Every structure is written in structure tokens, then in C-alpha cells.
Amino acid sequence: MRTFPTLLLACVLAAATPAATGTAGDPDRPAARDDRDPRGQQTSDGVRGEIAAPLPEWMRKPVRREVRNKWQVSPGVKAAIWDERDARGPVRYYLLTADLRRDGLQVDYANDGAVRRTAPLGQMLARSKQAVAGVNGDFFDIGDTGAPLGVGRDRQRGPLNGPRAGWNNAFFYDRHGHPQIDVLPMMPAVREHPKLVITNVNSPSVRPGGIGAYNRQWGLSSGYRITDGQSRDVRMVLIREGKVVQTSRRLPSQTPINGVMLVGRGAGAKALAKFRVGQAAHVRWRLEGTPRMAITGNKFLVQDGVIKVVDDREMHPRTAIGIDRDSKTLLFLVVDGRQRFSRGYTMVELAEKMIELGADEALNLDGGGSSTMMAKGRGGLLKVINSPSDGSQRSIANGIEINYRKPR
């Protein structure tokens, strides 16, 4: 004879079945999204996740927890892997903790050189001789240019990419060297034209009516891919060494960008039509507050200890970063998903877990097949320690690397 809790769970799961199978006309199913708008997606790959069964609070706690492994990655960095099971199913977690007080430890932005170039996380981390661990980073234009959607700043190379507004929820180290999670806008400008609004720098596309700025850090020029295929009412202005050297209605493709290329669409193209060859023009950009490094995600999970997300339905592999200000620790969490041994997590579950781990602030990074964590094992080799849902490392736009150099 089944007990009351077992019967209640069966009823809850049965009630959730139409949503989980995507039955047409289900009033509880999330509204249809425009998949061309990345803000309507939970992962770069745009895959719709399995829908979690709704559960009362008392059924959300894990009924089983098993630690699989834990080790010291480097001085100040620890790794742990463990499994839990609750009424929704099994989940596997991978956690990196980095002690902010440890001398020689540094967190930085990672990519494969050019903003629009994608590569596996392992290839990115191999560029740094001091890398001991890392995770995947920002959402990116997975089906086209490959460029990240938001803000990126490398400690050595400076600000690389980012919009003025729209995808600016970021993890960063401020100018004083303190980690923060907050809104971080890019601030580009043309000195001689202070009223000209540049909407983005080295971004996957120029917004309709806007003006984008691109330089050699972007990689080879991308033609009309950065105007979403629009070839009419566009204009390009090339600026080199503080002067306009070219203005054209055609956009170059697969050529090096020698200087700064401004690209306008619609009203932006009309504004750029006023530029003349030989005219003085100095283009500069910086991130607000001049942070030392920065990378964006899509949503704040936790702010001041309060959960800021509401979606407790769609389950995916997840990656998150958090700050525990009491213990002065950074938390990097990856949750496997889309696999038999690990169902993935909803956004609310991810926020709850980050709070449980001690995060005062937390940011959601790209998930799905992008979710990857690497760390040095006891043998000193840097390797993937989670199980990416694609079956292998996905080529991604950027990541976060943890470097350690023994203090002298």
C-alpha cells in the first residue's frame, strides 16, 4: 500500500505531464518566444529544456547526497563533485572555490584571441601558462558570427566588446581589485562628435538604427552578417590614426580591420553619411568605472542574498558564478543536465543552490551544451571535470580562467 507522500508525488508528477511533454494548448506552458531574440532563450543553443514537475516546498529538499570527489586544485582553489537526488530526479554538481585572499591567485577573461573566434574552453585556457581552472562564459551568437552577446574585458588587452545597453549584467573586478556583480555598460564615443551615439563595440550585430564600432580585436570583417543581412540603408566609415580614410555604402567581408570601422544601419547610416575623408575622428571606448576584467551573463540569480529569478520550470545544464563576501570566496558552479544521471536545473533551483553555497551575489552564465568546467587534477593536468551535454567540449566565445602564480 502506497503512503500518502508517495501518492501525493504521483499526483504532482501526473499533473505536470502535459507541460513536460509540451502538449498543445497547455495553459501553463511558457508563452512562445521569438528565438531570434537571445533574451528569450535560456542557453545559446536555444534548445527548449525539459519542464520540471511543480513541487511544494517540503518536497524540494534532497533525499540523498553523495560526495564523489574533492581535491585541492592549487593554493587557494578547491574542487568538489557531488550528487543529489530530489523528487524531480538526480543532479550532479561541480564546484570550484577560489580564496580571494590568496596571494598569486588571479581571475581573468579568456578567449581564443579574436572576439568572433570560437574554441573549446581547453584551447582558451592553454593560452595561459598559469591557468589552473576555468568555466565557460557569456552567451554568444552560436549560429552566425560566434561573438559574445555582452561585455568582455581582459586584464592585459583591455575592453574587447560590449553593448552600451541591453546585455550588461556582469561579473567584474572593479578598478580597486574587488569582485562585483552588477550592470556594466560599454561607453564608446567619437571625440569630435560627442552627440553621436555608438550602440555597441565588436558585437554580433549592429542594432537597427544604431552604429557599431569594430576593430582588429573583432577578427576579419563580417560583411552584412553584422547588419543581420541588411544591405540597404547601411554605411561604413573607416577611421585610422585619428582620421577618416574611407566612407562607403558597402561593407567589407573577410578582410583585416586596419583601424576602427563604424557601421550604421538606418538612422545610424544617415548620421555616418556626414563624415568626410580626411576629417579628424578619434574613437575611444571604455567600460563604466574602468574595471580590470569583466564578462557578462544574462540574469542576476542573487542580489544581496535575495533570489532575482522566477523561472522554476525549464531545466538545463547550468553555469553560474557567485561571490561569498563573508568568506571572501568566489564560487563557480556547473550543473550537468540533459543526461540520465543529471536532469539539469531550473533558474530558481540554481539561485537557491548558490545561496546555499554562500553566495551573496550570483550571475547566470551560458548553459546547455556550453556548460563546461576544467581544473587541474592531482596529477597536475588541466582537464574537463564535468560531463558536457554535447558529449564533448563545445566551441564557445569566451570563458573565465583562474590563474595561479607562486608569489616571489
Side-chain angles (χ1 to χ4, degrees):
M1 182 175 183
R2 289 193 283 182
T3 63
F4 173 72
T6 304
L7 287 170
L8 178 57
L9 175 58
C11 292
V12 167
L13 294 175
T17 300
T21 57
T23 303
D26 174 18
D28 292 326
R29 186 177 180 179
R33 298 172 302 197
D34 181 357
D35 286 337
R36 294 171 298 177
D37 183 355
R39 290 171 294 184
Q41 299 178 8
Q42 296 208 19
T43 61
S44 287
D45 55 30
V47 174
R48 292 180 184 271
E50 180 183 354
I51 301 302
L55 294 175
E57 186 65 30
W58 64 272
M59 293 184 68
R60 296 175 67 91
K61 297 185 181 301
V63 295
R64 182 179 63 82
R65 180 179 287 127
E66 178 185 354
V67 176
R68 299 180 63 86
N69 200 0
K70 55 172 61 177
W71 70 97
Q72 188 87 27
V73 176
S74 75
V77 181
K78 296 179 180 179
I81 304 172
W82 74 98
D83 290 334
E84 292 182 4
R85 177 179 285 276
D86 60 19
R88 284 176 171 169
V91 185
R92 183 165 295 171
Y93 310 86
Y94 306 81
L95 177 68
L96 290 170
T97 58
D99 187 346
L100 297 169
R101 298 163 296 187
R102 173 66 65 166
D103 290 339
L105 204 63
Q106 187 181 77
V107 175
D108 205 356
Y109 178 95
N111 72 356
D112 199 41
V115 170
R116 59 166 290 195
R117 186 184 303 151
T118 61
L121 179 64
Q123 185 170 317
M124 297 178 188
L125 299 187
R127 297 170 65 91
S128 170
K129 294 181 180 179
Q130 286 80 41
V132 297
V135 296
N136 65 289
D138 196 2
F139 289 63
F140 65 108
D141 187 16
I142 194 170
D144 196 358
T145 65
L149 303 187
V151 165
R153 190 191 194 285
D154 182 273
R155 288 179 183 269
Q156 289 73 43
R157 293 173 290 166
L160 302 175
N161 54 275
R164 181 180 291 271
W167 197 277
N168 303 84
N169 295 340
F171 166 81
F172 58 96
Y173 274 80
D174 64 24
R175 62 189 303 176
H176 304 293
H178 302 138
Q180 309 288 349
I181 291 177
D182 207 342
V183 176
L184 188 63
M186 180 67 82
M187 303 178 68
V190 180
R191 188 173 69 189
E192 291 80 4
H193 299 270
K195 293 185 179 180
L196 187 74
V197 177
I198 298 177
T199 52
N200 53 276
V201 173
N202 288 331
S203 293
S205 65
V206 181
R207 294 177 182 175
I211 297 173
Y214 297 83
N215 68 354
R216 62 180 179 79
Q217 293 172 323
W218 168 257
L220 297 179
S221 59
S222 301
Y224 297 100
R225 292 163 71 183
I226 58 173
T227 56
D228 300 322
Q230 179 183 336
S231 58
R232 298 182 62 181
D233 295 324
V234 300
R235 181 170 289 274
M236 181 275 293
V237 171
L238 183 62
I239 299 168
R240 187 181 303 142
E241 297 179 352
K243 287 188 177 181
V244 176
V245 298
Q246 185 182 357
T247 177
S248 173
R249 292 182 180 179
R250 301 187 66 179
L251 303 186
S253 179
Q254 296 301 305
T255 60
I257 301 175
N258 185 9
V260 176
M261 184 175 70
L262 299 181
V263 177
R265 298 175 63 179
K270 185 176 180 180
L272 292 182
K274 299 176 183 179
F275 284 68
R276 297 289 181 265
V277 172
Q279 176 182 347
H282 294 80
V283 185
R284 298 287 185 271
W285 51 78
R286 65 182 180 87
L287 291 169
E288 187 177 74
T290 319
R292 298 184 182 184
M293 69 78 60
I295 194 167
T296 41
N298 70 331
K299 292 183 182 294
F300 297 126
L301 296 167
V302 181
Q303 287 183 305
D304 294 325
V306 178
I307 293 176
K308 306 301 290 185
V309 288
V310 297
D311 188 351
D312 191 35
R313 306 210 60 201
E314 199 167 342
M315 298 187 294
H316 290 283
R318 303 284 187 183
T319 304
I321 183 170
I323 305 171
D324 182 345
R325 300 203 179 277
D326 292 335
S327 65
K328 293 181 172 54
T329 301
L330 289 183
L331 308 167
F332 301 84
L333 181 68
V334 165
V335 178
D336 278 342
R338 302 178 184 171
Q339 297 173 81
R340 177 186 55 79
F341 65 89
S342 189
R343 61 179 173 83
Y345 246 9
T346 69
M347 293 287 275
V348 169
E349 287 176 319
L350 187 63
E352 290 175 340
K353 182 59 70 175
M354 292 302 287
I355 289 176
E356 179 185 323
L357 293 171
D360 299 291
E361 287 89 34
L363 176 70
N364 183 60
L365 301 172
D366 193 15
S370 299
S371 284
T372 309
M373 179 177 285
M374 299 190 70
K376 284 190 173 182
R378 292 186 173 90
L381 295 178
L382 193 62
K383 62 180 182 179
V384 178
I385 64 172
N386 77 307
S387 176
S389 64
D390 284 354
S392 61
Q393 289 189 68
R394 171 182 287 177
S395 287
I396 54 178
N398 56 23
I400 303 174
E401 65 182 30
I402 306 173
N403 297 313
Y404 177 75
R405 175 184 290 176
K406 186 177 180 180
R408 295 180 180 178

Short mmCIF file of all heavy atoms in Angstrom, two decimals, residues 40-72:
data_model
loop_
_atom_site.label_atom_id
_atom_site.label_comp_id
_atom_site.label_asym_id
_atom_site.label_seq_id
_atom_site.Cartn_x
_atom_site.Cartn_y
_atom_site.Cartn_z
N GLY A 40 15.15 35.81 -25.01
CA GLY A 40 14.08 34.85 -24.81
C GLY A 40 14.57 33.42 -24.65
O GLY A 40 13.77 32.50 -24.52
N GLN A 41 15.91 33.23 -24.67
CA GLN A 41 16.48 31.90 -24.55
C GLN A 41 17.20 31.75 -23.21
O GLN A 41 17.68 32.71 -22.65
CB GLN A 41 17.48 31.65 -25.68
CG GLN A 41 16.86 31.72 -27.07
CD GLN A 41 17.90 31.50 -28.16
OE1 GLN A 41 19.04 31.18 -27.88
NE2 GLN A 41 17.50 31.69 -29.40
N GLN A 42 17.27 30.52 -22.74
CA GLN A 42 17.99 30.26 -21.50
C GLN A 42 19.40 29.76 -21.76
O GLN A 42 20.22 29.72 -20.85
CB GLN A 42 17.22 29.24 -20.66
CG GLN A 42 15.87 29.77 -20.20
CD GLN A 42 15.43 29.14 -18.90
OE1 GLN A 42 16.22 28.58 -18.15
NE2 GLN A 42 14.16 29.24 -18.61
N THR A 43 19.69 29.38 -22.99
CA THR A 43 21.02 28.92 -23.38
C THR A 43 21.30 29.41 -24.78
O THR A 43 20.37 29.69 -25.55
CB THR A 43 21.11 27.38 -23.35
OG1 THR A 43 20.15 26.85 -24.29
CG2 THR A 43 20.82 26.83 -21.97
N SER A 44 22.58 29.49 -25.16
CA SER A 44 22.92 29.95 -26.50
C SER A 44 22.37 29.04 -27.59
O SER A 44 22.02 29.49 -28.67
CB SER A 44 24.45 30.07 -26.66
OG SER A 44 24.95 31.16 -25.95
N ASP A 45 22.30 27.71 -27.31
CA ASP A 45 21.84 26.78 -28.33
C ASP A 45 20.34 26.87 -28.58
O ASP A 45 19.84 26.30 -29.55
CB ASP A 45 22.27 25.35 -28.02
CG ASP A 45 21.82 24.86 -26.65
OD1 ASP A 45 20.77 25.31 -26.15
OD2 ASP A 45 22.54 24.02 -26.06
N GLY A 46 19.60 27.57 -27.71
CA GLY A 46 18.17 27.77 -27.93
C GLY A 46 17.31 26.54 -27.75
O GLY A 46 16.11 26.56 -28.04
N VAL A 47 17.90 25.44 -27.26
CA VAL A 47 17.12 24.22 -27.03
C VAL A 47 16.14 24.44 -25.89
O VAL A 47 16.50 24.98 -24.85
CB VAL A 47 18.07 23.04 -26.69
CG1 VAL A 47 17.27 21.79 -26.32
CG2 VAL A 47 18.99 22.76 -27.86
N ARG A 48 14.91 24.04 -26.08
CA ARG A 48 13.92 24.14 -25.01
C ARG A 48 14.14 23.00 -24.01
O ARG A 48 14.24 21.84 -24.39
CB ARG A 48 12.49 24.10 -25.55
CG ARG A 48 12.14 25.33 -26.38
CD ARG A 48 10.72 25.23 -26.88
NE ARG A 48 10.39 26.36 -27.74
CZ ARG A 48 9.89 27.50 -27.33
NH1 ARG A 48 9.67 27.69 -26.04
NH2 ARG A 48 9.59 28.47 -28.18
N GLY A 49 14.23 23.36 -22.75
CA GLY A 49 14.53 22.36 -21.74
C GLY A 49 13.32 21.55 -21.33
O GLY A 49 12.16 21.94 -21.55
N GLU A 50 13.59 20.42 -20.72
CA GLU A 50 12.52 19.61 -20.13
C GLU A 50 11.84 20.42 -19.04
O GLU A 50 12.49 21.17 -18.30
CB GLU A 50 13.12 18.32 -19.54
CG GLU A 50 12.10 17.40 -18.90
CD GLU A 50 12.74 16.18 -18.27
OE1 GLU A 50 13.96 16.01 -18.43
OE2 GLU A 50 12.02 15.41 -17.61
N ILE A 51 10.54 20.29 -18.93
CA ILE A 51 9.78 21.06 -17.94
C ILE A 51 9.70 20.29 -16.63
O ILE A 51 9.32 19.12 -16.59
CB ILE A 51 8.36 21.37 -18.46
CG1 ILE A 51 8.44 22.17 -19.77
CG2 ILE A 51 7.57 22.16 -17.41
CD1 ILE A 51 9.21 23.47 -19.66
N ALA A 52 10.12 20.96 -15.56
CA ALA A 52 10.15 20.32 -14.24
C ALA A 52 8.76 20.21 -13.65
O ALA A 52 7.90 21.08 -13.86
CB ALA A 52 11.05 21.13 -13.30
N ALA A 53 8.53 19.15 -12.89
CA ALA A 53 7.27 18.99 -12.18
C ALA A 53 7.15 20.04 -11.08
O ALA A 53 8.11 20.28 -10.35
CB ALA A 53 7.20 17.60 -11.56
N PRO A 54 6.00 20.70 -10.96
CA PRO A 54 5.82 21.64 -9.84
C PRO A 54 5.78 20.88 -8.53
O PRO A 54 5.17 19.82 -8.43
CB PRO A 54 4.48 22.30 -10.15
CG PRO A 54 3.75 21.31 -11.00
CD PRO A 54 4.80 20.61 -11.81
N LEU A 55 6.47 21.42 -7.53
CA LEU A 55 6.56 20.73 -6.25
C LEU A 55 6.29 21.69 -5.10
O LEU A 55 6.71 22.85 -5.15
CB LEU A 55 7.96 20.13 -6.05
CG LEU A 55 8.40 19.00 -6.97
CD1 LEU A 55 9.85 18.65 -6.69
CD2 LEU A 55 7.50 17.79 -6.80
N PRO A 56 5.63 21.22 -4.05
CA PRO A 56 5.51 22.04 -2.84
C PRO A 56 6.87 22.17 -2.16
O PRO A 56 7.77 21.36 -2.39
CB PRO A 56 4.52 21.26 -1.98
CG PRO A 56 4.64 19.84 -2.46
CD PRO A 56 4.93 19.93 -3.92
N GLU A 57 7.02 23.17 -1.34
CA GLU A 57 8.32 23.48 -0.72
C GLU A 57 8.89 22.28 0.03
O GLU A 57 10.09 22.01 -0.03
CB GLU A 57 8.16 24.68 0.22
CG GLU A 57 9.47 25.19 0.80
CD GLU A 57 10.41 25.74 -0.25
OE1 GLU A 57 9.92 26.26 -1.28
OE2 GLU A 57 11.64 25.65 -0.05
N TRP A 58 8.04 21.55 0.74
CA TRP A 58 8.54 20.47 1.59
C TRP A 58 9.09 19.30 0.78
O TRP A 58 9.79 18.45 1.32
CB TRP A 58 7.46 19.99 2.55
CG TRP A 58 6.25 19.37 1.91
CD1 TRP A 58 5.13 20.00 1.48
CD2 TRP A 58 6.04 17.97 1.64
NE1 TRP A 58 4.23 19.11 0.96
CE2 TRP A 58 4.76 17.86 1.05
CE3 TRP A 58 6.80 16.83 1.84
CZ2 TRP A 58 4.23 16.63 0.64
CZ3 TRP A 58 6.28 15.61 1.44
CH2 TRP A 58 5.01 15.51 0.85
N MET A 59 8.79 19.25 -0.52
CA MET A 59 9.29 18.17 -1.36
C MET A 59 10.52 18.56 -2.17
O MET A 59 11.03 17.77 -2.95
CB MET A 59 8.18 17.68 -2.30
CG MET A 59 7.02 17.01 -1.59
SD MET A 59 5.80 16.36 -2.75
CE MET A 59 6.74 15.05 -3.52
N ARG A 60 11.02 19.78 -1.97
CA ARG A 60 12.13 20.27 -2.79
C ARG A 60 13.50 19.91 -2.22
O ARG A 60 14.51 20.03 -2.91
CB ARG A 60 12.02 21.78 -2.96
CG ARG A 60 10.77 22.20 -3.73
CD ARG A 60 10.65 23.71 -3.77
NE ARG A 60 11.71 24.31 -4.55
CZ ARG A 60 11.62 24.57 -5.85
NH1 ARG A 60 10.53 24.27 -6.51
NH2 ARG A 60 12.64 25.13 -6.50
N LYS A 61 13.56 19.49 -0.99
CA LYS A 61 14.85 19.19 -0.38
C LYS A 61 15.38 17.84 -0.88
O LYS A 61 14.61 16.92 -1.14
CB LYS A 61 14.73 19.18 1.14
CG LYS A 61 14.33 20.53 1.72
CD LYS A 61 14.35 20.51 3.23
CE LYS A 61 13.91 21.86 3.79
NZ LYS A 61 14.80 22.95 3.33
N PRO A 62 16.71 17.72 -1.03
CA PRO A 62 17.28 16.45 -1.49
C PRO A 62 17.04 15.34 -0.48
O PRO A 62 17.09 15.55 0.73
CB PRO A 62 18.77 16.76 -1.64
CG PRO A 62 19.01 17.95 -0.78
CD PRO A 62 17.75 18.75 -0.81
N VAL A 63 16.77 14.15 -1.02
CA VAL A 63 16.58 12.98 -0.15
C VAL A 63 17.84 12.13 -0.08
O VAL A 63 17.93 11.21 0.73
CB VAL A 63 15.39 12.12 -0.66
CG1 VAL A 63 14.09 12.91 -0.55
CG2 VAL A 63 15.62 11.66 -2.10
N ARG A 64 18.81 12.44 -0.95
CA ARG A 64 20.07 11.72 -0.94
C ARG A 64 21.19 12.63 -1.42
O ARG A 64 21.01 13.41 -2.33
CB ARG A 64 20.01 10.48 -1.85
CG ARG A 64 21.29 9.65 -1.86
CD ARG A 64 21.14 8.43 -2.77
NE ARG A 64 20.94 8.82 -4.17
CZ ARG A 64 21.93 9.15 -5.01
NH1 ARG A 64 23.18 9.18 -4.58
NH2 ARG A 64 21.67 9.45 -6.26
N ARG A 65 22.35 12.55 -0.77
CA ARG A 65 23.52 13.33 -1.19
C ARG A 65 24.75 12.45 -1.08
O ARG A 65 24.95 11.79 -0.06
CB ARG A 65 23.67 14.58 -0.33
CG ARG A 65 24.88 15.43 -0.71
CD ARG A 65 24.98 16.68 0.14
NE ARG A 65 23.96 17.66 -0.23
CZ ARG A 65 23.12 18.21 0.64
NH1 ARG A 65 23.15 17.86 1.91
NH2 ARG A 65 22.23 19.10 0.24
N GLU A 66 25.57 12.43 -2.12
CA GLU A 66 26.77 11.59 -2.14
C GLU A 66 27.93 12.37 -2.73
O GLU A 66 27.87 12.84 -3.87
CB GLU A 66 26.53 10.34 -2.99
CG GLU A 66 27.75 9.43 -3.09
CD GLU A 66 27.52 8.28 -4.02
OE1 GLU A 66 26.37 8.11 -4.52
OE2 GLU A 66 28.49 7.53 -4.29
N VAL A 67 28.99 12.55 -1.96
CA VAL A 67 30.20 13.22 -2.44
C VAL A 67 31.00 12.24 -3.29
O VAL A 67 31.33 11.14 -2.85
CB VAL A 67 31.06 13.73 -1.26
CG1 VAL A 67 32.36 14.34 -1.78
CG2 VAL A 67 30.28 14.75 -0.44
N ARG A 68 31.32 12.64 -4.51
CA ARG A 68 32.06 11.78 -5.42
C ARG A 68 33.57 12.02 -5.37
O ARG A 68 34.37 11.10 -5.49
CB ARG A 68 31.57 11.98 -6.86
CG ARG A 68 30.10 11.64 -7.06
CD ARG A 68 29.69 11.86 -8.50
NE ARG A 68 30.40 10.98 -9.40
CZ ARG A 68 30.03 9.74 -9.71
NH1 ARG A 68 28.94 9.22 -9.14
NH2 ARG A 68 30.72 9.02 -10.55
N ASN A 69 33.95 13.30 -5.21
CA ASN A 69 35.38 13.62 -5.20
C ASN A 69 35.56 15.05 -4.69
O ASN A 69 34.67 15.89 -4.86
CB ASN A 69 35.96 13.51 -6.61
CG ASN A 69 37.47 13.36 -6.62
OD1 ASN A 69 38.10 13.34 -5.56
ND2 ASN A 69 38.05 13.25 -7.80
N LYS A 70 36.69 15.31 -4.09
CA LYS A 70 37.09 16.67 -3.73
C LYS A 70 38.61 16.70 -3.66
O LYS A 70 39.24 15.72 -3.27
CB LYS A 70 36.46 17.13 -2.42
CG LYS A 70 36.71 16.24 -1.21
CD LYS A 70 36.22 16.89 0.08
CE LYS A 70 34.73 17.16 0.05
NZ LYS A 70 34.25 17.72 1.34
N TRP A 71 39.20 17.83 -4.06
CA TRP A 71 40.66 17.94 -4.06
C TRP A 71 41.09 19.40 -4.11
O TRP A 71 40.31 20.29 -4.42
CB TRP A 71 41.25 17.15 -5.23
CG TRP A 71 41.02 17.72 -6.60
CD1 TRP A 71 41.86 18.50 -7.34
CD2 TRP A 71 39.85 17.52 -7.42
NE1 TRP A 71 41.31 18.81 -8.55
CE2 TRP A 71 40.08 18.22 -8.63
CE3 TRP A 71 38.65 16.82 -7.25
CZ2 TRP A 71 39.14 18.24 -9.67
CZ3 TRP A 71 37.72 16.85 -8.27
CH2 TRP A 71 37.96 17.55 -9.46
N GLN A 72 42.37 19.60 -3.81
CA GLN A 72 43.00 20.91 -3.87
C GLN A 72 43.55 21.08 -5.28
O GLN A 72 44.42 20.35 -5.72
CB GLN A 72 44.14 21.02 -2.85
CG GLN A 72 44.73 22.41 -2.72
CD GLN A 72 43.99 23.28 -1.71
OE1 GLN A 72 43.38 22.76 -0.79
NE2 GLN A 72 44.03 24.59 -1.91
#
